[in-house]
Amino acid sequence: MDNKKNIVLIGMMGAGKSTIARLVSAKSKNFQYLDIDKEIEKLAQKHIHEIFAENGEGHFRQLEHEMIVKYSNYSNQVIATGGGIVENPENINLLKKNGVVFYLKASVDELYSRVNRAYQGSRPMLNHPNPKHRLKELMGRRERFYKSADFEIDTENKELVQIVDEIIEKYGKITG
Ligand code: S3P
């Protein structure tokens, strides 16, 4: 099997990273789906919200960084990252070494309506009296780092299949 650069999805909570990563891997030959949050949960034997509650955000960020150090050396992966990987700028540099990075973009209003439909308790970063305000604040702090991706993909008003095809097409063009 050819060694192919990873396809890495970054962006805020609610951007659709895990769903889209799964679909991209299903549609691309020889690519495995890998979810950094799931790998952290396997390693810690706890859910993300339990790691935050019992060990704090700093410990979670450390585990997240360790996972990125490990998996940035792999090939042929479609990697869904957690929204906060940009909190440590070194993470993006590592992921870029052997990966093409896509920023899945959506407005705060759209992100909020998507996360609001999902179970809030599983997202400790939104454990806040005003989760929409919190999303806005996080976006304000993180967006310039998301924008250091190789490609920016607007996810609003698009079918999932369109987003998947756009990623595969852009990846193909850059990797030949
Ligand atoms: C986080 C996003 C989550 C998860 C953790 C922290 C963040 O992942 O890694 O709760 O800081 O934005 P998703 O972006 O997949 O929700």
Side-chain angles (χ1 to χ4, degrees):
M1 186 170 92
D2 276 2
N3 272 359
K4 293 239 163 116
K5 278 190 166 202
N6 300 319
I7 297 173
V8 181
L9 306 187
I10 67 170
M12 289 286 286
M13 290 167 270
K17 301 175 297 278
S18 301
T19 306
I20 293 167
R22 223 179 275 120
L23 294 171
V24 170
S25 82
K27 208 164 182 177
S28 328
K29 252 171 76 193
N30 299 332
F31 275 87
Q32 303 265 335
Y33 164 64
L34 182 86
D35 192 308
I36 296 291
D37 279 349
K38 293 277 170 291
E39 296 305 314
I40 295 170
E41 289 183 330
K42 274 192 231 161
L43 179 78
Q45 307 259 297
K46 286 180 199 173
H47 291 295
I48 302 283
H49 65 90
E50 292 169 327
I51 304 174
F52 269 74
E54 294 168 22
N55 311 98
E57 184 182 350
H59 182 67
F60 172 77
R61 297 292 171 213
Q62 182 56 37
L63 295 178
E64 185 173 51
H65 179 62
E66 283 167 23
M67 290 297 103
I68 286 171
V69 169
K70 176 174 174 185
Y71 290 112
S72 57
N73 287 311
Y74 281 45
S75 301
N76 301 71
Q77 310 292 312
V78 186
I79 305 180
T81 60
I85 59 134
V86 293
E87 299 277 343
N88 177 350
E90 211 193 312
N91 288 338
I92 290 278
N93 294 336
L94 284 166
L95 289 164
K96 274 190 166 178
K97 264 195 333 190
N98 191 39
V100 182
V101 179
F102 293 85
Y103 167 32
L104 301 186
K105 193 178 156 70
S107 66
V108 169
D109 282 343
E110 175 67 19
L111 293 168
Y112 182 67
S113 84
R114 292 184 198 165
V115 296
N116 217 13
R117 275 181 252 132
Y119 170 55
Q120 287 284 342
S122 63
R123 291 197 152 101
M125 293 298 284
L126 298 183
N127 188 3
H128 193 269
N130 187 338
K132 188 169 179 184
H133 187 269
R134 177 77 169 133
L135 265 180
K136 203 170 170 183
E137 180 208 340
L138 289 171
M139 178 74 127
R141 182 161 98 207
R142 294 173 173 175
E143 193 166 33
R144 68 194 175 101
F145 299 110
Y146 292 140
K147 282 182 170 287
S148 66
D150 298 295
F151 295 103
E152 213 171 292
I153 310 279
D154 199 336
T155 64
E156 277 187 53
N157 306 314
K158 278 185 193 161
E159 299 291 334
L160 285 173
V161 63
Q162 272 180 279
I163 301 170
V164 169
D165 288 347
E166 211 175 314
I167 292 172
I168 294 173
E169 189 209 314
K170 288 193 156 66
Y171 177 84
K173 277 197 182 144
I174 202 172
T175 56

